[in-house]
Amino acid sequence: MANRLKPGVKCPVSEWHWTTGTLIPPDPSDGEGEAVVEAVQPFFTKRHFTSKYDIRQQFSGMLYRLRNGVSWGDMPLTWGPTNPIRERQLSWWQKGAWPKVMETLNAGGRGVPAYRRSTLAQFMVVGRDRAGISVQGWTGELGTTVA
């Protein structure tokens, strides 16, 4: 899934979920929300937790995006401003807290796979250019060509 701020950059969190098969859990209950905060605490200083944005609300937004394949630019404002949510998720990922949070919430195996856009199978395209020269190439994902 592309980040609108950096076109073509794939989300490392989505990639990790696809690679590991770790499910995206449902929105956490109040007790599970507390467990998420406890799981993240060892990775950050107290300053991380003194934001004007509610961590549990932002976390629900992160999960929504991963479950539905929504780009950051298209996120509804239900969970607050998008950029602080994106920055928080990235910091959790970079510090190694994200896998710990998923481990905390996936103990019961609940959840759905991270959304993944479908891709086209490879196929051969054969044609002639304007000079009448035969041209062919293999095409993979939409918009990519390998000669």
Side-chain angles (χ1 to χ4, degrees):
M1 148 180 8
N3 179 339
R4 233 187 220 181
L5 300 175
K6 295 180 183 176
V9 174
K10 292 188 178 184
C11 172
V13 177
S14 294
E15 293 278 337
W16 178 78
H17 279 278
W18 299 332
T19 302
T20 64
T22 302
L23 299 176
I24 308 298
D27 288 347
S29 66
D30 288 341
E32 290 171 326
E34 290 174 17
V36 167
V37 172
E38 288 174 14
V40 170
Q41 280 178 334
F43 296 89
F44 295 96
T45 63
K46 288 183 182 180
R47 185 171 183 258
H48 182 79
F49 302 94
T50 57
S51 169
K52 63 182 176 180
Y53 303 110
D54 181 86
I55 289 177
R56 290 187 274 187
Q57 184 178 14
Q58 286 187 319
F59 180 63
S60 291
M62 295 173 203
L63 296 177
Y64 172 84
R65 190 187 72 80
L66 291 167
R67 281 192 298 262
N68 295 287
V70 177
S71 69
W72 286 113
D74 293 332
M75 279 281 289
L77 295 175
T78 306
W79 301 277
T82 304
N83 203 45
I85 298 171
R86 183 186 62 80
E87 289 172 355
R88 179 161 276 158
Q89 184 182 40
L90 185 60
S91 71
W92 287 13
W93 173 252
Q94 290 172 337
K95 297 275 188 170
W98 190 263
K100 183 67 176 170
V101 169
M102 291 298 106
E103 179 184 316
T104 300
L105 292 178
N106 281 325
R110 300 176 309 144
V112 297
Y115 181 86
R116 188 173 205 155
R117 296 188 193 321
S118 59
T119 58
L120 297 173
Q122 275 198 344
F123 56 94
M124 172 69 85
V125 177
V126 179
R128 295 192 183 276
D129 68 6
R130 291 180 188 201
I133 299 172
S134 181
V135 181
Q136 65 182 17
W138 287 99
T139 302
E141 291 185 42
L142 190 60
T144 62
T145 304
V146 180

